[in-house]
Amino acid sequence: MLFNSLHFLVFFIIVYALYLVLPHRWQNRMLLAASCVFYGAWDWRFLFLMFTSITVDYICALKIHRSDDERTRRIFLGISISINLAFLGFFKYFNFFAANAQVLLAHFGITASPMLLNIILPVGISFYTFEAITYVFDVYRRVMAPTTRYADYALFVTFFPHLVAGPIMKAKDLLPQIQNERNVNADKFFEGCHLFFWGLFQKVFIADNLAKLVDPFFSVGPPYAGAQVLLAVYAFAFQIYCDFAGYSNMARGLGKCMGFDIMINFNVPYFSAGPREFWQRWHISLSAFLRDYLYISMGGNRRGTCITYRNLAVTMVLGGLWHGASWTFVIWGAYQGLLLILYRLFQPSAQRSFFSSGPAARKIWSGINVIFFFHLICLGWLIFRASSVQQTLDMFHAMIFNFSTQPLIVKYYFLDM
């Protein structure tokens, strides 16, 4: 059930009408039922998978909180995280690793037929898995106490505005809003409507129309003209931004109408002057998760420069793989990690030389940084969007050695009109 569908409009009108007349506890129960209907509209069978994860996490969090024995606490933390990652790994990455294992064995002269399964990827599993991990981890770290109400925790995971496309809300931020009564008023309703319709405009009128330009180009093979590649990459940069940010804004708007505060997930990221700033503006909830639960858990920047660079690289590679089971996503993640490392190495000395030159030089430097880094991000989007590593190389080669403007890429936009 898509936010920009008539089915969702009817669904939300019914849900919101009930929400306005019910008391707090019944609001939560109704929202849990509505979220199950919303998710079940995709494929009801995966409700059992999601509630298995919910039940395991709920029990493990209580066991962790009630124990003072560190070994016991770590065991239940491990059980919860292992089961969540096992579900995610099986449904999202089994075929990817099986196929690549076959290729690796073939290099050593070993012939093997991989067991590939016709696996349907459960919608939203990447998002609700990470949200579940934040809950158990924060209970383990004693950042928060677990809820004793199973239904409240289940609603935190299944809450339909952010279930399938984020933002990835931390339990310590969203769960208290579920447990406490919420204030719904006209100001919040109109603010929520503004956010929802702005997100709808981003998704339907910008992202979906740019897709008509981008998708046909990336679906054909070489030879490519460099100008075409550059135009397609520029278009994709704004397509993916408006697609992701549009869904996030719609989620924020729906939550706001019901009195929930859902975090900002995108904050004009293309005005960033470097990778660190970019990841503070782009998919902020994912960036925060990778930083708080992966990068810091590996030691962050506390164990010296080399370990810091290793942690950055590993974090971004895994962040790339989170986006999809493909080598292009792995390489994109490695590329983002490389940018973070290189900017840490060279940006401070470059900034010092310009900062000593006066205010005008600083403004020029800032503008150059933004423009230059935007093009580095676009190079990353080329890797991200390409259907294969070979297509990435072919397109990059065309931009460097065949910067032709003919034939114009715009023709693809009108293929189905």
Side-chain angles (χ1 to χ4, degrees):
M1 195 184 301
L2 298 172
F3 288 163
N4 55 321
S5 68
L6 181 61
H7 290 99
F8 180 77
L9 176 62
V10 174
F11 166 82
F12 185 71
I13 288 173
I14 295 171
V15 168
Y16 196 62
L18 291 172
Y19 185 82
L20 292 177
V21 299
L22 291 172
H24 169 246
R25 187 52 56 189
W26 280 100
Q27 283 179 339
N28 286 355
R29 293 168 181 167
M30 184 274 297
L31 285 177
L32 177 58
S35 297
C36 291
V37 171
F38 174 82
Y39 194 77
W42 298 93
D43 193 323
W44 62 269
R45 294 171 297 177
F46 290 124
L47 283 169
F48 295 103
L49 176 73
M50 184 164 57
F51 273 90
T52 299
S53 173
I54 287 170
T55 303
V56 169
D57 298 330
Y58 173 77
I59 294 172
C60 286
L62 289 175
K63 294 290 187 181
I64 291 169
H65 180 69
R66 292 168 181 171
S67 176
D68 292 324
D69 180 63
E70 186 61 25
R71 183 173 178 273
T72 301
R73 286 163 51 81
R74 288 188 177 184
I75 287 174
F76 282 106
L77 175 66
I79 291 172
S80 174
I81 293 176
S82 297
I83 290 176
N84 278 292
L85 294 182
F87 286 158
L88 179 63
F90 176 76
F91 284 97
K92 194 167 185 175
Y93 302 109
F94 180 86
N95 285 348
F96 173 71
F97 286 114
N100 281 281
Q102 180 192 31
V103 173
L104 180 62
L105 290 172
H107 281 295
F108 294 97
I110 302 173
T111 302
S113 298
M115 184 179 66
L116 301 181
L117 304 177
N118 186 24
I119 299 172
I120 301 173
L121 180 65
V123 174
I125 190 171
S126 298
F127 291 94
Y128 74 69
T129 297
F130 276 17
E131 285 166 351
I133 290 174
T134 73
Y135 175 70
V136 181
F137 238 116
D138 283 349
V139 171
Y140 173 77
R141 290 172 170 174
R142 303 194 189 279
V143 173
M144 61 175 290
T147 178
T148 57
R149 291 182 181 269
Y150 178 85
D152 284 353
Y153 176 66
L155 178 56
F156 158 69
V157 176
T158 63
F159 187 46
F160 70 86
H162 75 127
L163 175 58
V164 298
I168 302 169
M169 291 288 290
K170 294 180 180 179
K172 67 183 182 67
D173 296 326
L174 183 57
L175 196 54
Q177 298 183 60
I178 292 172
Q179 294 170 318
N180 300 316
E181 290 193 19
R182 297 166 292 274
N183 179 32
V184 180
N185 54 46
D187 289 340
K188 289 188 176 182
F189 175 77
F190 288 116
E191 184 181 352
C193 288
H194 171 76
L195 280 169
F196 181 84
F197 285 109
W198 170 236
L200 188 67
F201 177 82
Q202 288 179 298
K203 166 61 182 167
V204 174
F205 290 95
I206 302 178
D208 288 354
N209 280 298
L210 285 174
K212 297 176 183 177
L213 178 68
V214 173
D215 293 347
F217 180 78
F218 279 93
S219 66
V220 300
Y224 302 106
Q228 291 181 346
V229 176
L230 186 61
L231 181 57
V233 171
Y234 283 156
F236 179 68
F238 290 97
Q239 177 202 344
I240 192 172
Y241 168 70
C242 289
D243 201 320
F244 286 4
Y247 266 111
S248 291
N249 284 327
M250 285 189 277
R252 292 179 61 218
L254 293 169
K256 184 68 71 174
C257 288
M258 294 182 285
F260 289 91
D261 287 320
I262 296 177
M263 66 178 293
I264 296 173
N265 210 22
F266 294 85
N267 183 21
V268 288
Y270 293 147
F271 285 94
S272 303
R276 183 176 181 182
E277 183 182 358
F278 176 77
W279 285 104
Q280 292 170 343
R281 294 168 173 260
W282 176 273
H283 213 322
I284 299 169
S285 62
L286 174 62
S287 304
F289 177 91
L290 293 174
R291 180 195 65 219
D292 296 343
Y293 301 97
L294 184 57
Y295 176 72
I296 290 177
S297 295
M298 290 190 296
N301 58 0
R302 300 189 302 272
R303 300 178 182 175
T305 301
C306 291
I307 298 299
T308 298
Y309 293 161
R310 181 208 66 182
N311 294 343
L312 285 171
V314 171
T315 298
M316 297 314 297
V317 166
L318 293 177
L321 189 60
W322 176 86
H323 286 82
S326 169
W327 281 111
T328 54
F329 293 121
V330 175
I331 295 170
W332 175 78
Y335 173 75
Q336 295 296 331
L338 180 63
L339 289 181
L340 284 165
I341 292 169
L342 291 177
Y343 266 73
R344 274 177 171 260
L345 280 171
F346 298 112
Q347 193 174 36
S349 57
Q351 284 180 331
R352 283 194 298 271
S353 63
F354 273 89
F355 282 0
S356 62
S357 303
R362 287 197 292 271
K363 289 182 180 179
I364 293 171
W365 171 250
S366 178
I368 291 172
N369 258 339
V370 169
I371 295 170
F372 177 71
F373 185 71
F374 172 72
H375 285 84
L376 290 180
I377 288 299
C378 286
L379 178 58
W381 290 141
L382 171 60
I383 302 169
F384 188 96
R385 181 59 181 82
S387 58
S388 66
V389 176
Q390 186 59 51
Q391 187 179 51
T392 301
L393 296 174
D394 290 339
M395 289 183 171
F396 184 72
H397 183 273
M399 284 197 296
I400 301 299
F401 299 104
N402 184 29
F403 201 80
S404 169
T405 59
Q406 297 295 330
L408 290 175
I409 190 176
V410 177
K411 72 177 184 179
Y412 294 110
Y413 185 83
F414 300 101
L415 282 177
D416 60 351
M417 297 183 64

